[in-house]
Structures are given as structure tokens and as C-alpha cells.
């Protein structure tokens, strides 16, 4: 046996040889990673990883998907040369351990001995937090060449590292382009004036519930379908004047659904990170901090904790992209000026550079991998134990299952919900015969989601009606949405079943597309209750066939469809286009022989403008997502476009939620934004919009944007909640009830009662209708009592009860539609989309 000193000498001598064969990121980029004023963009980073994979037997690269704008999303698989040919075997072991059913504890132990810990590290999810994506290159290189604080052969023999270098490739390209454009000017390092993710901006880490974005889907597919990692790490950046790094554990409270082993694992990883940082003299680490709750499940990491994956996010202090930041000691937040147990080694202030962010990121990633290696068996066996406990916990009931009836107000949306849950890792069954559960009768075809399944925490978290909030609700605890129930947001009815029941069912592997037969009648009808019908109608407008909306309810082949349903003349072109559309949208076409004696309104092709300011407005981005998803064409309108006769080009203009002052005044001349993106729509924009509405156009304004028109147009409406203090009235991102008048065109297709996402939103109090040439119509209102459905509330509901939630205010020939709440919140609130879509489809008056 070689003596230890000689062994170390031999290993050390190997390092330079290996290193020579592999290109360092510094050599590749021509500068040190994280050097001042240097930021590598997604294409450079992807190119580096591709090169490293070609040079290293420890690194391979796979494409896990495409970004929204078509950039490749790469993932490096980093493990020992010995493991590399067998990664599929280890992946199969992880999958096997994720579901305990059918394996004994002994088998699980054997698999845990044989298996390797799978660790996923995602970088650069928030594109303006550039440090982690830069650091990813260095982490990979150091692992490849063995330049690590541990024996890399041993650790990489225990661990398979999945390294996503840039989780938002489009974003880093935009951020890097903007940064480089203003480098060396007084605007250097300022915020990008538009969303860095095409649709979601910063909300790309709020998409974990719905996985709308292709980037989210790519990563969630790695997590819940392909690789089943036991550990996930997602490094971020935070403000500049506090700690240098936040690491878990998170702050209270604990989610009752999350397995205690997840919390213990998070604590273990976090403790080692702070220990390793401290050992290396890296100051300023804090844990258990106020902003860092894991309560809400919309983020990548918090969502992973309900699938038995031990997931940590870290936050490292901000730099102005790649420009250093100087923090004067006097600028430090009070908590960070002295020693405490949570913060035992205060950072004294001074310069903070991108290179520091890279160092802290690489250090914590290495620490994580060492923790994974040291506890290798435990990570794997605990993963099995968590799944086993979840199944056992679900068997006695309370809840035993959730049942989602197949027949709903909006059937295609119900299928969408099932698909989202299934993609999220839920196991779903479908009843093959009628059954009774908790005394309620259900039909064959209804969907059953049993609580006894390995991802029980996810299923219960996603579907439970009762979510118990900490008594002392504060924004930091909620972190984000106070309610995130998908069925409630999507307008899908379901039942929570407490007690065990018997039913015949089959496991749902594929969501069957209902077989669609096209009636051979001269006209076809699409039910206005389905969002999908709007998509089909708008798509068919391109065929130039006559399309109408029914003013009243109508009888078709045995069914009664509500007012607003779409009637299409069944021309050859329609018949040609329909099969693909019906297949995509899973919507039913009804037959109609003639349209005589029907009260119909022709549907004109909407000419939609969507206003976009020079501040990243996520609600605007999500509005575009919804419109793109449904195939509604639109034009983005900038400040300078709001001039002249807007009715020439537009029938409707949408203002997503945004502060009224920001829309009108925009970025000021003394802001961090350069002249090209200063200013708002101004008085001239307001005047053009006023003329637009007077001449027959429709303005749709959401939540805060509504106040712009209330004030500037002098609408006979006020926001009854304006000026109320939080103690008097506070409903943060919660679901509330609304009552809808679905006999009015703006309410077409809506149920009488719906659930709306309310984010300290607006409640209108219209003045007497008919004053002057303004006529105010209430389309939806908050109910007289029990306003809150799910979420949080402080103070009294009195200020909101009975107030208007959606109003239409006539303006000579046109109108302004004010929607008080977030009817398209993060493209999750399918249940209220129709209020927006109806407004956009209203014909321009002549
Ligand atoms: Zn972030």
C-alpha cells in the first residue's frame, strides 16, 4: 500500500496533467470568471459546456429542452469516469426508490448501497442575478479536473451532479446585451427596462405550480419524470446591503405536509455550507432569515420539497450585474451590523464584486456535493422512506382522495388541470364505473387522486381546500401568493374525500383526447363556457367564414348552450381547419341546422393592442402569454405609439396591472434608466386614448391600471379600497368570490359565481348610472358576505362586500372596462379569463 504522503503527492501530480487536457473557463472566455465588467451570456456558457464535455470523461451534456425564444437548455451530467457509462442504471435506481410500492426495506437498502445520490443544481433562473450562471462554468471545470476541496474521485463516485448552467437562457442574453450597451456610461449596471423572460420576467420562479413556461417544463421533467434527484440547489442573489449570503434553514413555519426528513436534510446542507464558508474565512453568512420562508410552493425549490426532494435556495448579495458595488458600513441594514447566532461573522462593508458572488456560489456548491457524498446511503434510503411514509399516511384517509368530476362548467380546462397535476408528478386514476364516496355520488370517467401516493405532500398541498395559515400572517411568511389552489383558480369543481371508499378505476397513463365527430349541419356551435371555444373561434376568424355570438341561450342537438356561444358557418375551409383545432383544444362542436330566428351578433376579428411600459411588468407579460396561448393576435404598444386616431388600427387596448402614475409618467430623467426608455404615455397618450374610447374603441384596464382611467377620464367610479390601512383591510394574493352577470356580453360564458385572484386589488363603487354621457354597468361584484375563499385576510371584509369587481363605463361610442382583480394571474386563473377575452372581443362601435 502506498504511504499516504506519497499517495497525495501522486494525486496532486495528476491534477496539472488533467488540467492541461481541459480548457478552463478563463482560457475559454479570455478573462477570469466573474471579472469586473465581464459577463458571459448564455451562448458563451453553453459553448463552454459543450467544449468541456468533449474534453472531459467526467462531463457529458444533454439538451433538456428549448427556451421560450428557442435557445437550447443544456444540462451537464458530471460524475466519475467509472459512473459515467452507467448513469442510466443509477437513474433507474433513483426512480425505483422514489416509489416504495413493491419493494421491501431490504431491497431499498440494497438499491441505496448500489445507487448514487443525484444532485440537481440550477443556475441563473433569475437572469439578472448573473453570478450563479458565471459560477457554473467554474464549478464544472473544477469537478472535471479535480480542483476541489475534497477527493473529487470519491465524491463523484458517490454523486451524479446534474448541472443546469443557465435555467433562463433568453434572460441572460437580454441582460448581458443591456449591460454591455451601457457599459462605461452613467447607466452602467442599471436594471433592464423590460422583462428578462419573454413572458414572465422574475415570475419565472413563480411558475412551479402551473409550469406554463417551456423552461419550467424542461427542469420539472428532469425532476419528476427523468432523474428523480434527492437533492436540488438553486442559487439566487438578493439585496446588496445585508448579509453576503443567505443559506437555509428557512424561517418558520413548517408546512405540515412536508416530510420532516426534508427539513432535516435542508438543515444539514445549510449547516455545512455555513461551516465551509466560515472555514474558508468567507464572512457574512446568515440563515433562518425573514424573507426566506418555504411556505408557498410556487418556486422551484419549495415545490420540490413536496416531492420528497431536499431542496435549498441560497441568496448572495447583489452586484450591479458585473459592476462592483461599494457598501459603506453606514449603509448596512441594522441586523447586519452586529454578531448574532444567525449571523456570527458580520461582513464589515466595502467593495463587493461579481467575483465574490462566483466564489460564494462555487464554495456552497462544493459543500453541497460533499454533504451528498458523506451521507450517500442516507440520501437514497431516506428518499425511499419518505415515499413509503407518504403512501402509508394516505391509506387511512383524511384526506383519502380528491375527486374531480369529468363533467364541468369548462371541460377542456378540467383536462388541462389534470394534465398539469400529472406533469407535476401526481398519480391520477379514472373511475370506470359510478361510485359513492363520503356519501356523494360520482360518475364513471371522474378523476380520482388518491392521497396514498409517494408525492402525497404535493397532492394534498395542491388540492386541499383547507390550508392552515400561521395565525400571525405577515407578507414575509407568505413569501408570495397566500392561495395557490389550481382547481379554484381554474374554476374546476372537486371534492375532498375524507374516508376510504371502494371504486373501480384505472390508472391514467395518457389523458385521452375525447373523440370528436364533426356534425354535418350547416352551422356549428361552440360552448362559450369553455375557454377553448374562444381559441377555436378566433382561429376560425382567419377562414373568413361568418362567425356569430348568440345573444341568448340556444338549443343544439339536445343541449342548451348559454348566451355568448359561438356559431360558425360550416364552410369547406372551416371543415378543413377544425379537426386539428378540436384535437388541440379538446372542445366539442355542436350541430345547428339554421340560424333563423336567433338573435346573433357577428364576431369581428379583434384588433388588439397591449400596452407595455419601460418597466418590467410581469402582469403584462402573462397577459401576452395568455393571448399567445389562445391564439389571439395582438400588437405591443409603447408610449410613443399612443397617438393619432387609434381606432384605425385597434378595436381594443389592454392595460395590464400597473401603477397608474408609472403608466402616465414612466421613468424619470434622473432614474437609472437611459433617455431611450424614459417617460410614460403622458398627457398626449391619455388624450389619444380618450379619443379612442370616444370613437368606439374598448380600453381594458386591470386592477391598479384602472385608476389611471378613473382619474384621467373622470370616470364616475371610485375604488372603495383606496387609502385603507392594512389593519383595516388586507387581502393579499388570495382567492375571493365574485358574482357575475353572465347575460351581459362581458360576462358571457362565466358561471354565476366564480373565484377571483385578489392582490390588495380594487373594488369599485360606481356613482349613479346614466350621469352625463357615461353609463356604468356592473358585470361582476364581490358578494355580500363570505368574500374570502382561500388565502389570508386581516381586518374586516366590510369595505369590499357588495362592491363592483368588473365595470363597463360607456364613453360616447366606446367604453372602458375596469377589472378590479387579476383575471389572468400568472396564466393560472383560467376561471376568470373569459372576462378579459369577452372585453377584447367586443366590437368597435361606429
Ligand atoms: Zn432570484
Amino acid at each position: 500500500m502506498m504511504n499516504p504522503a506519497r499517495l497525495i503527492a501522486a494525486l496532486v501530480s495528476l491534477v496539472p496533467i488533467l488540467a492541461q487536457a481541459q480548457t478552463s473557463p478563463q482560457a475559454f472566455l479570455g478573462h477570469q470568471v466573474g471579472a469586473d465588467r465581464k459577463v458571459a451570456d448564455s451562448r458563451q456558457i453553453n459553448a463552454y459546456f459543450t467544449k468541456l464535455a468533449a474534453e472531459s470523461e467526467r462531463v457529458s451534456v444533454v439538451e433538456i429542452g428549448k427556451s421560450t425564444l428557442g435557445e437550447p437548455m443544456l444540462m451537464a451530467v458530471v460524475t466519475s469516469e467509472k459512473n459515467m457509462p452507467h448513469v442510466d442504471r443509477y437513474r433507474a435506481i433513483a426512480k425505483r426508490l422514489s416509489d416504495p410500492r413493491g419493494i421491501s426495506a431490504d431491497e431499498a437498502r440494497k438499491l441505496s448501497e448500489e445507487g448514487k445520490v443525484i444532485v440537481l443544481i440550477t443556475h441563473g433562473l433569475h437572469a439578472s442575478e448573473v453570478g450563479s450562471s458565471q459560477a457554473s462554468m467554474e464549478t464544472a471545470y473544477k469537478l472535471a479536473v479535480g480542483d476541489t476541496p475534497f477527493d473529487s474521485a470519491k465524491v463523484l463516485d458517490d454523486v451524479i451532479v446534474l448541472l443546469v448552467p443557465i435555467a433562463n437562457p433568453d434572460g441572460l442574453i437580454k441582460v448581458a446585451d443591456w449591460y454591455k450597451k451601457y457599459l462605461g456610461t452613467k447607466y452602467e449596471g442599471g436594471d433592464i427596462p423590460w422583462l428578462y423572460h419573454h413572458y414572465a420576467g422574475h415570475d419565472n420562479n413563480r411558475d412551479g405550480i402551473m409550469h406554463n413556461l417551456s423552461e419550467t417544463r424542461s427542469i420539472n421533467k428532469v425532476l419528476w419524470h427523468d432523474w428523480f434527484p434527492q437533492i436540488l440547489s438553486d442559487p439566487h442573489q438578493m439585496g446588496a446591503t445585508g448579509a453576503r449570503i443567505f443559506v437555509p434553514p428557512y424561517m418558520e413555519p413548517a408546512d405540515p405536509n412536508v416530510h420532516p426528513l426534508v427539513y432535516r436534510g435542508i438543515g444539514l446542507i445549510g449547516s455545512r455550507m455555513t461551516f465551509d464558508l466560515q472555514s474558508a474565512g468567507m464572512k457574512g453568512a446568515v440563515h433562518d432569515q425573514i424573507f426566506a420562508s418555504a411556505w408557498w410552493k410556487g418556486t422551484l425549490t419549495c415545490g420540490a420539497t413536496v416531492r420528497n426532494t431536499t431542496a435549498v435556495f441560497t441568496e448572495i448579495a447583489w452586484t450591479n450585474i458585473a459592476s462592483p458595488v461599494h457598501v459603506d458600513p453606514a449603509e448596512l441594514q441594522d441586523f447586519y451590523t452586529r454578531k448574532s447566532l444567525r449571523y456570527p461573522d458580520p461582513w464589515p462593508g466595502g467593495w463587493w464584486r461579481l467575483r465574490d458572488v462566483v466564489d460564494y456560489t462555487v464554495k456552497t456548491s462544493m459543500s453541497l456535493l460533499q454533504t451528498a457524498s458523506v451521507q450517500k446511503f442516507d440520501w437514497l434510503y431516506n428518499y425511499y422512506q419518505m415515499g413509503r411514509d407518504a403512501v402509508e399516511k394516505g391509506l387511512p384517509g383524511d384526506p383519502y382522495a380528491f375527486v374531480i368530476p369529468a363533467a364541468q362548467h369548462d371541460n377542456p380546462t378540467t383536462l388541462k388541470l389534470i394534465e398539469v397535476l400529472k406533469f407535476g408528478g401526481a398519480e391520477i386514476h379514472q373511475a370506470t364505473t359510478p361510485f359513492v364516496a363520503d356519501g356523494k355520488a360520482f360518475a364513471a370517467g371522474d378523476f380520482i387522486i388518491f392521497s396514498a401516493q409517494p408525492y402525497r405532500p404535493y397532492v394534498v398541498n395542491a388540492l386541499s381546500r383547507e390550508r392552515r395559515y400561521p395565525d400571525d400572517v405577515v407578507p414575509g411568511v407568505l413569501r408570495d401568493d397566500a392561495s395557490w389552489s389550481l382547481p379554484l383558480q381554474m374554476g374546476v369543481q372537486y371534492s375532498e374525500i375524507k374516508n376510504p371508499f371502494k371504486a373501480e378505476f384505472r390508472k391514467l397513463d395518457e389523458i385521452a383526447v375525447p373523440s370528436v365527430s364533426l356534425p354535418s349541419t350547416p352551422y356549428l356551435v361552440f360552448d362559450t363556457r369553455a375557454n377553448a371555444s374562444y381559441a377555436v373561434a378566433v382561429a376560425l376568424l382567419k377562414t373568413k367564414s361568418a362567425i356569430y355570438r348568440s345573444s341568448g341561450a340556444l338549443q343544439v342537438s339536445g343541449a342548451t348552450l348559454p348566451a355568448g356561444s359561438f356559431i360558425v358557418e360550416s364552410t369547406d375551409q372551416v371543415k378543413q381547419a377544425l379537426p386539428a383545432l378540436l384535437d388541440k383544444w379538446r372542445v366539442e362542436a355542436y350541430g345547428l341546422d339554421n340560424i333563423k330566428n336567433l338573435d346573433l351578433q357577428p364576431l369581428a376579428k379583434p384588433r388588439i393592442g397591449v400596452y407595455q411600459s419601460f418597466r418590467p411588468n410581469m402582469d403584462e407579460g402573462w397577459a401576452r402569454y395568455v393571448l399567445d396561448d389562445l391564439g389571439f393576435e395582438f400588437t405591443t404598444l409603447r408610449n410613443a405609439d399612443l397617438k393619432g386616431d387609434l381606432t384605425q388600427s385597434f378595436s381594443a387596448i389592454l392595460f395590464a396591472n400597473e401603477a397608474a402614475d408609472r403608466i402616465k409618467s414612466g421613468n424619470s430623467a434622473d432614474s437609472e434608466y437611459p433617455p431611450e426608455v424614459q417617460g410614460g404615455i403622458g398627457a398626449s397618450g391619455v388624450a389619444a386614448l380618450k379619443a379612442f374610447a370616444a370613437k368606439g374603441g374598448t380600453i381594458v384596464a386591470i386592477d391598479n391600471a384602472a385608476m389611471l382611467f378613473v382619474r384621467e377620464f373622470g370616470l364616475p367610479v371610485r375604488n372603495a379600497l383606496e387609502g385603507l390601512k392594512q389593519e383595516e383591510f388586507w387581502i393579499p394574493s388570495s382567492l375571493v368570490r365574485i358574482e357575475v352577470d353572465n347575460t351581459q356580453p362581458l360576462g358571457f360564458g362565466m358561471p354565476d359565481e366564480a373565484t377571483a385572484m385578489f392582490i390588495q386589488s380594487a373594488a369599485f363603487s360606481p356613482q349613479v348610472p346614466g350621469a352625463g354621457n357615461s353609463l356604468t354597468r356592473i358585470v361582476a361584484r364581490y358578494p355580500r358576505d363570505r368574500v374570502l375563499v382561500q388565502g389570508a385576510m386581516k381586518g374586516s371584509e366590510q369595505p369590499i362586500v357588495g362592491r363592483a369587481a368588473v365595470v363597463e363605463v360607456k364613453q360616447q361610442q366606446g367604453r372602458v372596462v375596469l377589472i378590479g382583480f387579476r383575471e389572468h394571474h400568472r396564466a393560472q386563473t383560467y376561471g376568470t379569463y373569459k372576462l378579459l377575452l369577452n372585453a377584447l372581443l367586443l366590437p368597435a362601435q361606429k
Side-chain angles (χ1 to χ4, degrees):
M1 189 184 145
M2 198 185 275
N3 85 39
R6 281 184 58 198
L7 177 65
I8 289 165
L11 285 170
V12 168
S13 74
L14 272 176
V15 171
I17 297 165
L18 283 168
Q20 274 165 10
Q22 288 150 64
T23 309
S24 71
Q26 176 159 349
F28 183 81
L29 299 171
H31 59 80
Q32 188 194 32
V33 173
D36 284 356
R37 299 185 171 79
K38 299 281 185 195
V39 55
D41 72 14
S42 317
R43 288 168 188 155
Q44 287 172 288
I45 293 172
N46 278 349
Y48 176 70
F49 271 86
T50 307
K51 186 167 179 61
L52 186 65
E55 293 172 351
S56 171
E57 291 185 25
R58 287 180 169 183
V59 181
S60 65
V61 163
V62 290
E63 186 176 312
I64 56 169
K66 291 270 196 258
S67 71
T68 298
L69 300 180
E71 294 291 323
M73 289 191 62
L74 299 188
M75 182 175 83
V77 181
V78 186
T79 192
S80 67
E81 296 85 340
K82 207 170 92 196
N83 287 347
M84 193 58 93
H86 310 293
V87 287
D88 284 343
R89 166 69 188 153
Y90 299 125
R91 173 149 86 138
I93 290 174
K95 183 176 185 185
R96 195 71 199 87
L97 291 170
S98 77
D99 185 349
R101 291 167 296 188
I103 38 172
S104 66
D106 267 353
E107 280 172 275
R109 270 190 208 98
K110 277 187 206 130
L111 289 170
S112 304
E113 293 287 357
E114 185 194 343
K116 309 293 173 187
V117 184
I118 299 182
V119 177
L120 172 64
I121 309 179
T122 50
H123 301 85
L125 186 66
H126 282 156
S128 57
E129 302 161 15
V130 295
S132 70
S133 56
Q134 310 301 303
S136 70
M137 295 180 279
E138 200 156 298
T139 301
Y141 174 71
K142 283 173 177 285
L143 290 170
V145 301
D147 178 14
T148 49
F150 42 70
D151 175 355
S152 69
K154 162 80 175 83
V155 168
L156 289 181
D157 192 42
D158 291 335
V159 181
I160 296 172
V161 192
L162 308 177
L163 208 147
V164 175
I166 168 76
N168 176 8
D170 303 338
L172 186 57
I173 291 171
K174 289 186 197 192
V175 167
D177 283 352
W178 183 257
Y179 178 72
K180 286 170 191 166
K181 184 172 178 184
Y182 285 98
L183 203 56
T185 73
K186 70 181 218 184
Y187 304 108
E188 174 179 319
D191 279 348
I192 181 171
W194 34 73
L195 296 170
Y196 57 63
H197 181 280
H198 181 64
Y199 292 121
H202 206 70
D203 261 1
N204 67 339
N205 198 25
R206 312 285 185 262
D207 187 42
I209 292 163
M210 193 75 185
H211 23 85
N212 275 315
L213 309 175
S214 54
E215 293 84 354
T216 318
R217 284 197 296 276
S218 302
I219 290 173
N220 285 358
K221 186 164 179 289
V222 170
L223 280 164
W224 330 127
H225 298 277
D226 293 346
W227 286 88
F228 303 90
Q230 292 78 54
I231 299 174
L232 163 66
S233 170
D234 189 41
H236 287 255
Q237 283 177 255
M238 59 180 179
T241 57
R244 295 303 88 191
I245 183 170
F246 159 81
V247 297
Y250 309 118
M251 66 177 291
E252 299 286 355
D255 184 324
N257 297 309
V258 172
H259 198 288
L261 273 170
V262 165
Y263 287 129
R264 291 306 186 192
I266 289 170
L268 180 66
I269 290 168
S271 292
R272 178 160 205 129
M273 282 179 174
T274 49
F275 184 78
D276 287 347
L277 287 162
Q278 202 62 56
S279 303
M282 297 164 87
K283 290 174 157 309
V286 71
H287 59 83
D288 190 13
Q289 205 38 336
I290 180 73
F291 65 87
S293 141
W295 178 256
W296 171 66
K297 296 299 180 295
T299 62
L300 174 60
T301 43
C302 298
T305 62
V306 281
R307 278 93 163 185
N308 306 330
T309 292
T310 300
V312 296
F313 68 86
T314 54
E315 304 270 359
I316 299 178
W318 181 257
T319 51
N320 291 331
I321 311 298
S323 301
V325 169
H326 189 269
V327 182
D328 191 86
E331 292 176 278
L332 288 169
Q333 298 163 48
D334 184 52
F335 178 86
Y336 299 101
T337 56
R338 58 186 171 271
K339 187 171 187 166
S340 65
L341 284 176
R342 279 148 67 196
Y343 192 59
D345 188 13
W347 181 68
W351 282 102
W352 183 252
R353 322 185 99 86
L354 183 57
R355 182 62 221 180
D356 296 318
V357 181
V358 169
D359 284 338
Y360 276 64
T361 309
V362 173
K363 174 60 78 183
T364 45
S365 291
M366 293 298 176
S367 172
L368 171 81
L369 297 180
Q370 196 161 6
T371 309
S373 166
V374 171
Q375 251 73 34
K376 185 218 133 192
F377 174 88
D378 300 316
W379 288 114
L380 289 158
Y381 189 69
N382 286 350
Y383 190 51
Y384 158 79
Q385 289 204 89
M386 288 189 259
R388 181 200 61 199
D389 293 352
V391 172
E392 278 172 12
K393 198 169 176 186
L395 289 173
D398 198 17
Y400 184 73
F402 300 89
V403 181
I404 302 178
Q408 298 265 353
H409 182 84
D410 178 350
N411 292 331
T413 289
T414 305
L415 293 179
K416 172 72 185 178
L417 169 65
I418 296 294
E419 203 169 67
V420 169
L421 293 170
K422 197 167 181 309
F423 189 77
E427 193 173 85
I428 297 173
H429 291 83
Q430 197 167 19
T432 51
T433 55
F435 66 100
V436 174
D438 274 2
K440 281 186 202 164
F442 294 97
D446 288 355
F447 301 100
I448 308 171
I449 304 164
F450 291 106
S451 134
Q453 55 177 295
Y455 291 168
R456 178 185 185 277
Y458 164 59
V459 164
V460 175
N461 189 282
L463 296 173
S464 182
R465 231 168 247 277
E466 283 298 317
R467 198 168 280 133
R468 279 191 300 160
Y469 287 91
D471 290 337
D472 188 20
V473 178
V474 294
V477 172
L478 298 171
R479 186 133 182 264
D480 197 279
D481 285 349
S483 172
W484 57 91
S485 161
L486 280 184
L488 295 177
Q489 292 191 73
M490 295 173 83
V492 174
Q493 303 298 316
Y494 73 109
S495 295
E496 185 167 336
I497 306 295
K498 237 178 148 160
N499 301 298
F501 59 88
K502 290 245 178 307
E504 285 177 39
F505 49 80
R506 62 178 183 88
K507 192 170 164 206
L508 197 69
D509 292 318
E510 286 280 309
I511 294 161
V513 178
S515 64
V516 175
S517 60
L518 215 48
S520 54
T521 47
Y523 295 91
L524 300 168
V525 187
F526 297 94
D527 189 340
T528 184
R529 288 173 292 194
N531 291 352
S533 293
Y534 289 72
V536 171
V538 163
L540 291 178
L541 280 169
K542 292 189 190 115
T543 66
K544 309 264 192 298
S545 307
I547 304 183
Y548 309 92
R549 294 192 83 176
S550 165
S551 302
L554 76 168
Q555 297 292 327
V556 286
S557 41
T560 306
L561 300 185
S565 290
F566 298 91
I567 296 160
V568 181
E569 192 188 354
S570 186
T571 61
D572 286 346
Q573 256 190 308
V574 165
K575 282 183 213 150
Q576 208 177 4
L578 264 182
L581 284 171
L582 300 190
D583 203 47
K584 177 176 177 192
W585 292 105
R586 300 160 168 163
V587 70
E588 198 172 344
Y590 294 89
L592 183 70
D593 286 321
N594 66 71
I595 56 172
K596 270 181 278 174
N597 306 322
L598 291 178
D599 184 6
L600 303 179
Q601 296 298 323
L603 183 71
K605 187 173 188 298
R607 297 168 298 142
I608 300 168
V610 178
Y611 171 72
Q612 189 179 79
S613 69
F614 286 124
R615 288 290 276 276
N617 179 8
M618 294 178 277
D619 199 56
E620 180 270 340
W622 286 117
R624 281 187 286 108
Y625 179 90
V626 170
L627 296 179
D628 276 344
D629 188 43
L630 293 171
F632 278 58
E633 289 171 7
F634 62 88
T635 305
T636 290
L637 292 173
R638 295 290 204 176
N639 295 329
D641 300 323
L642 295 176
K643 63 178 181 209
D645 181 2
L646 293 165
T647 60
Q648 295 295 318
S649 308
F650 302 101
S651 59
I653 297 177
L654 171 64
F655 285 79
N657 173 62
E658 189 164 18
D661 291 342
R662 187 180 287 180
I663 297 171
K664 187 168 180 202
S665 307
N667 299 318
S668 65
D670 58 0
S671 70
E672 62 185 305
Y673 295 98
E676 63 164 306
V677 293
Q678 287 171 3
I681 67 170
S684 63
V686 169
L689 288 164
K690 203 163 184 179
F692 170 71
K695 278 188 79 178
T698 299
I699 293 170
V700 188
I702 312 301
D703 201 344
N704 286 300
M707 297 317 292
L708 177 79
F709 300 96
V710 170
R711 286 178 204 154
E712 299 291 337
F713 288 15
L715 301 183
V717 168
R718 67 179 188 92
N719 177 8
L721 305 177
E722 204 171 20
L724 289 179
K725 294 197 188 76
Q726 223 179 68
E727 309 85 75
E728 296 169 299
F729 176 83
W730 187 58
I731 299 185
S733 51
S734 298
L735 293 168
V736 301
R737 287 199 297 139
I738 54 167
E739 292 162 357
V740 185
D741 180 356
N742 49 26
T743 63
Q744 294 185 43
L746 280 168
F748 279 166
M750 289 291 294
D752 298 335
E753 186 183 309
T755 309
M757 178 55 83
F758 188 93
I759 307 182
Q760 275 296 67
S761 295
F764 303 110
S765 170
Q767 293 163 4
V768 186
N773 56 22
S774 295
L775 178 66
T776 305
R777 270 203 283 198
I778 296 176
V779 183
R781 62 167 77 243
Y782 303 106
R784 299 263 163 221
D785 60 356
R786 295 176 297 111
V787 173
L788 187 70
V789 177
Q790 192 187 60
M793 187 173 89
K794 263 186 181 176
S796 155
E797 66 176 18
Q798 217 44 48
I800 191 177
V801 294
R803 300 292 190 194
V806 180
V807 293
E808 176 183 3
V809 188
K810 277 276 188 198
Q811 297 286 293
Q812 298 180 35
Q813 264 86 58
R815 79 277 280 178
V816 181
V817 177
L818 307 177
I819 301 181
F821 52 87
R822 308 292 177 81
E823 87 303 331
H824 67 267
H825 180 65
R826 293 177 180 160
Q828 296 171 0
T829 53
Y830 276 53
T832 48
Y833 281 4
K834 283 181 277 275
L835 293 163
L836 170 67
L837 304 179
N838 287 331
L840 297 177
L841 289 181
L842 287 176
Q845 308 291 317
K846 289 279 148 42

